[in-house]
Amino acid sequence: MANEIYLCIVFAIAFEQDGDGGENAHFIGSRWVGDLSILENAKNEVLTVVKHAVLVFSGVVVAIFLEVAHFAGTADFVGDFGENRVFEVSHLFFEPLICLFGQQVLCHAEKATCAFYDGLPMAHRIALIGGDGIGPEVTAEAVKVVRATGVAIDTTDFDLGGMRYLRDGEILSDDVLNQLRNYDAILLGAVGTPDVPPGIIERGLLLKMRFDLDLYVNQRPFAGTAPGHVTPHDFVVIRENTEGPYVGEGGVLRRGTPHEIATQGSVNTRHGVERCIRYAFELASKRERKHVTLVHKTNVLTFAGDLWQRAFNEVAAEFPQVGTAYNHVDAACIYFVEDPHRYDVIVTDNLFGDILTDLGGAVSGGIGLASSANLNPSRTGPSMFEPSHGSAPDIVGTGKANPTAAILSAALMLEFLGENDAAARIRTACDTAPTGSTTEIGNAIAALVAGK
Ligand code: IPM
Ligand code: MN
């Protein structure tokens, strides 16, 4: 790309205090990168009021707007800067950038300039939701392994989950959700505690993220050797993640009386079903076996089943190189146990996919290895990566939690972020199936990944 001749990026924002003490943010340039939160660290840790803008041209900062000079006088909280020592202040400003972009940013504080090295990857900005129970323990190991690959990540912790809800009622406010939108990916450990009634955290946090961030594909890979088999299988379940019975259609009448009525519908839109099926075919077309099986219950759920089957047939026609099959979900349960080798890519609805993927975990080495990716393939926002297991409150702090599912979920994250080599190294390291405590397993995988 002709990086030299065009204005590639402007990623800073000038803050200005208006007469009422409020802040006005001015965006300058061709591209809005992230939003104000990109400089949140700077604001919170270094500055009270940030007054600066950086204009980057051809990978080099060509202008630092005058606010920086003005700001020299206002951010002198440590008392070392004089009015005119602009470069030291700009150095302070560059520090968060170094955090964000790692070694690509080289500061020449003396000259108040900053060079960007083209060709080096940017640090991926990852929102971490350790969550409840063993979630934070396994997430810490996943982050350790990602760092061991050498891929630059910049992480921010978000304290969310059942424990947070019990403390102050926050589940996932729109404000926090909007903050999450600014990250490249979300890595989640597990959420849920026994003290919170079922549904509150699941719907308010996990499903809210899936729906509001439009994470319409839930991708769950299964590689392992099923009990009683000698050859390993390797298949992927693509579960529709934003519709079906999970939408919450329905209601209850005369609750608690003998005449109580509860209905819970399944919502299937042509758009939602088709985009998920298309993703499955695109994935299959890149895999060796090039095969997709639709799993549903078309013999009973005739309305939804018919929509799924027609959408499947029509998308299949666009992929003549991909073979197809259909299984009823009950039969698929038998095949998962007796003949898992028949599968390459499976596509199915939200609830069938939920149930089937637990079985997939059980026949592929256990739930401690089951990873998952909640994807927004249109990339209009971050995707979310989480192990399929829960928060396992009974083993918190015992070191018994296997972090492999979380680590493999981080590998899915890296792959989605384009870090294919790092993802492959993590998978190879996980294949050695190290044993020991949570930390010992994490350390062993990290060491293998780092090539030590
Ligand atoms: C999963 C979980 C969730 C689901 C729950 C916790 C809402 O079981 O990710 O499979 O049903 O999707
Ligand atoms: Mn589940």
Side-chain angles (χ1 to χ4, degrees), residues 7-9 54-63 113-116 118:
L7 180 67
C8 53
I9 234 173
V54 178
L55 192 59
V56 185
F57 190 64
S58 301
V60 174
V61 174
V62 293
T113 62
C114 181
F116 284 66
D118 281 343

Side-chain angles (χ1 to χ4, degrees), residues 73-266:
T74 61
D76 189 8
F77 66 96
V78 280
D80 323 312
F81 303 128
E83 271 293 339
N84 299 317
R85 300 184 62 191
V86 173
F87 62 88
E88 295 196 32
V89 176
S90 58
H91 184 74
L92 266 184
F93 164 56
F94 284 136
E95 265 171 19
L97 297 185
I98 294 170
C99 265
L100 285 170
F101 299 109
Q103 292 309 310
Q104 305 147 72
V105 180
L106 178 71
C107 276
H108 303 289
E110 324 72 59
K111 297 188 203 129
T113 62
C114 181
F116 284 66
Y117 291 105
D118 281 343
L120 284 177
M122 302 266 261
H124 302 289
R125 300 190 310 134
I126 312 296
L128 293 178
I129 305 176
D132 302 311
I134 59 169
E137 301 168 24
V138 295
T139 309
E141 299 310 314
V143 169
K144 182 191 289 174
V145 169
V146 171
R147 290 201 195 285
T149 65
V151 170
I153 53 166
D154 176 44
T155 59
T156 309
D157 282 304
F158 283 80
D159 177 13
L160 296 169
M163 296 308 284
R164 169 73 192 272
Y165 169 68
L166 289 173
R167 226 175 38 249
D168 65 9
E170 166 80 20
I171 305 175
L172 178 62
S173 60
D174 288 342
D175 180 42
V176 175
L177 186 68
N178 284 335
Q179 289 175 36
L180 290 174
R181 290 183 202 278
N182 296 314
Y183 287 82
D184 296 322
I186 303 165
L187 190 60
L188 185 139
V191 291
T193 100
D195 306 334
V196 180
I200 294 183
I201 302 300
E202 290 87 341
R203 292 212 80 87
L205 179 58
L206 206 56
L207 299 188
K208 183 167 173 162
M209 276 195 281
R210 288 180 185 171
F211 293 149
D212 289 15
L213 298 174
D214 206 18
L215 309 178
Y216 64 86
V217 163
N218 193 321
Q219 179 163 336
R220 296 186 164 173
F222 297 101
T225 304
H229 292 262
V230 284
T231 45
H233 56 260
D234 179 1
F235 63 86
V236 183
V237 176
I238 301 301
R239 159 187 176 188
E240 201 294 318
N241 214 27
T242 53
E243 298 193 346
Y246 276 68
V247 166
E249 191 218 39
V252 62
L253 266 179
R254 302 195 283 270
R255 188 169 178 275
T257 74
H259 300 284
E260 178 167 344
I261 303 168
T263 63
Q264 193 103 41
S266 171

Side-chain angles (χ1 to χ4, degrees), residues 273-291:
V273 168
E274 187 176 318
R275 65 183 180 173
C276 175
I277 292 174
R278 181 163 284 107
Y279 179 88
F281 274 91
E282 273 160 10
L283 177 68
S285 67
K286 289 182 223 128
R287 287 168 63 92
E288 210 182 302
R289 286 172 57 202
K290 304 196 190 325
H291 191 271

